[in-house]
């Protein structure tokens, strides 16, 4: 047992510690996006299967239907948020050197944002008739 | 002000200590498929950007996707997606505080593999039948 000789409460001592710093928030967001991903993945698979083998005009006609485009955007955004947190957990499990860990977590965030931005840009450009 | 020193904690043994089991294999698979999906989003983004760049770039992307290597990657991606999705459903059961009994865990682990394989095969039957 530890003696509580410090002025700080047990809760105060652990706040902001741990590798994640904001673990419960991340845990919840990971679950929220996972639930969204189940629905959006099923839709995504149907869209991709429908696109297979289609020539350019037909494929684009499907992809730019407002409902399809919106659902693709939601899938991309939910997946990017989800995968960013998921990969951060993996980094925190395996990378223990503080400086390297911070760089890896940063690179992970940049990756998720870059992939998300490129995909969103492409879907919007197609939809708005670029 | 005296800070409380953390007590020395026991370290948990890592993977190689344990005999492989279904539950462990499916846990590792969830992490591996999650990582595969993560890397694969680059391909989804590249495909969408190709489509947005016009018919010529799109045809190139389609040609790559239709090649042997392209199809292999797509097959692995679809399996990873299905496996990770069904594995995620298993996590939802645990999050609700259920499914921790040994037999249940074992059954859910096997269920993950069987259902995700079945879904992947179904997707590819539809793909090959409709093109
Ligand atoms: C299809 C529906 C999906 C569901 C139900 C789902 C569910 C989950 C859950 C519950 C976790 C947390 C596992 C844990 O706490 O140990 C997780 C982790 C993860 N997910 Fe997903 N996910 C889905 C889709 C995706 C997609 C599309 C990607 C990537 C593009 C992805 C990437 C990841 C990664 C990288 C992790 C971290 C793995 C780990 O910590 O071991 N997931 N997923
Ligand atoms: C492909 C290679 C590897 C796989 C598939 C793997 C798989 C896993 C899995 C499934 C977990 C449990 C995490 C969870 O469910 O949340 C884990 C935890 C862990 N792994 Fe690995 N691992 C690999 C390589 C490594 C390496 C190379 C190291 C370090 C040298 C490592 C160190 C750890 C540590 C420290 C934990 C956390 C243990 C704990 O929380 O008690 N792993 N690994």
């Amino acid at each position: 047992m530890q003696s509580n000789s410090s002025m700080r409460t047990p809760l105060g001592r652990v706040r902001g510690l741990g590798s994640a710093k904001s673990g419960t928030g991340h845990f919840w967001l990971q679950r929220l996006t996972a639930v969204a991903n189940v629905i959006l993945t099923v839709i995504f698979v149907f869209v991709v299967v429908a696109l297979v083998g289609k020539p350019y005009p037909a494929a684009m006609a499907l992809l730019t239907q407002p409902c399809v485009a919106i659902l693709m955007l939601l899938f991309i955004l939910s997946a990017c948020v989800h995968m960013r947190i998921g990969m951060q957990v993996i980094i925190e499990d395996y990378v223990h050197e503080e400086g390297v860990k911070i760089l890896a977590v940063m690179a992970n965030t940049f990756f998720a944002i870059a992939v998300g931005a490129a995909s969103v840009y492409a879907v919007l450009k197609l939809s708005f008739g670029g | 002000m005296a800070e409380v020193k953390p007590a020395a904690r026991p370290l948990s043994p890592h993977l190689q200590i344990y005999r492989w089991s279904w539950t462990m294999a499916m846990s590792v698979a969830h992490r591996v498929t999650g990582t595969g999906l993560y890397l694969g989003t680059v391909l989804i983004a590249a495909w969408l950007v190709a489509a947005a760049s016009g018919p010529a770039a799109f045809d190139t992307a389609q040609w790559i996707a239709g090649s042997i290597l392209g199809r292999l990657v797509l097959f692995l991606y679809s399996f990873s997606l299905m496996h990770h999705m069904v594995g995620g459903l298993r996590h939802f059961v645990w999050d609700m505080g259920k499914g921790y009994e040994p037999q249940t865990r074992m059954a859910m682990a096997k269920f993950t593999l069987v259902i995700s394989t079945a879904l992947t095969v179904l997707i590819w039957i539809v793909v090959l039948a409709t093109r």
Side-chain angles (χ1 to χ4, degrees):
Chain A
M1 288 308 283
Q2 303 177 351
S3 70
N4 197 1
S5 57
S6 163
M7 295 284 286
R8 305 176 65 198
T9 62
L11 180 61
R13 275 203 304 275
V14 297
R15 275 215 174 114
L17 294 181
S19 52
K21 317 292 185 214
S22 50
T24 45
H26 274 187
F27 181 89
W28 176 245
L29 198 53
Q30 183 78 348
R31 266 58 193 172
L32 186 74
T33 51
V35 173
N37 278 352
V38 175
I39 302 158
L40 296 168
T41 294
V42 172
I43 295 166
F44 175 77
V45 167
F46 272 101
V47 172
V48 170
V49 168
L51 285 173
V52 172
K54 279 219 164 61
Y56 188 72
M60 292 313 115
L62 175 61
L63 206 54
T64 54
Q65 294 267 318
C67 274
V68 176
I70 290 169
L71 288 164
M72 288 300 99
L73 290 173
L74 291 177
F75 174 70
I76 292 158
L77 293 175
S78 180
C80 284
V81 171
H82 175 90
M83 74 177 190
R84 174 183 162 249
I85 308 171
M87 188 51 68
Q88 184 166 335
V89 172
I90 297 181
I91 292 167
E92 286 156 358
D93 275 353
Y94 300 138
V95 183
H96 300 303
E97 214 269 294
E98 194 65 19
V100 181
K101 187 176 84 186
I102 288 170
L103 287 178
V105 169
M106 268 186 167
N108 175 45
T109 302
F110 291 162
F111 176 87
I113 291 177
V115 164
S119 306
V120 168
Y121 170 81
V123 173
L124 289 182
K125 180 168 187 278
L126 285 170
S127 301
F128 298 151
Chain B
M1 203 164 61
E3 276 297 325
V4 176
K5 288 224 173 67
R9 288 163 182 255
L11 296 174
S12 74
H14 192 44
L15 281 177
Q16 65 269 30
I17 303 295
Y18 300 103
R19 176 175 55 83
W20 276 89
S21 62
W22 276 89
T23 43
M24 189 162 131
M26 291 307 116
S27 169
V28 172
H30 194 76
R31 180 157 281 196
V32 171
T33 53
T35 306
L37 294 172
Y38 179 95
L39 298 173
T41 53
V42 171
L43 302 177
I44 297 181
W47 187 85
L48 286 170
V49 170
S53 305
F58 182 76
D59 285 345
T60 310
Q62 291 296 72
W63 180 81
I64 296 171
S67 67
I68 305 269
L69 189 62
R71 285 188 185 193
L72 181 67
V73 170
L74 285 173
F75 181 80
L76 288 176
Y77 198 83
S78 60
F79 179 64
S80 295
L81 192 57
M82 291 303 105
H83 194 287
H84 190 88
M85 183 176 75
V86 182
L89 297 179
R90 210 167 40 120
H91 274 277
F92 296 158
V93 175
W94 287 325
D95 289 342
M96 288 184 288
K98 301 196 171 68
Y100 287 100
E101 304 77 21
Q103 313 90 300
T104 318
R105 278 189 282 127
M106 192 64 87
M108 286 202 297
K110 290 182 180 169
F111 178 87
T112 303
L113 187 60
V114 171
I115 297 297
S116 58
T117 307
L119 287 174
T120 310
V121 170
L122 186 69
I123 290 174
W124 283 86
I125 287 176
V126 174
V127 165
L128 295 177
T130 55
R131 73 186 312 271

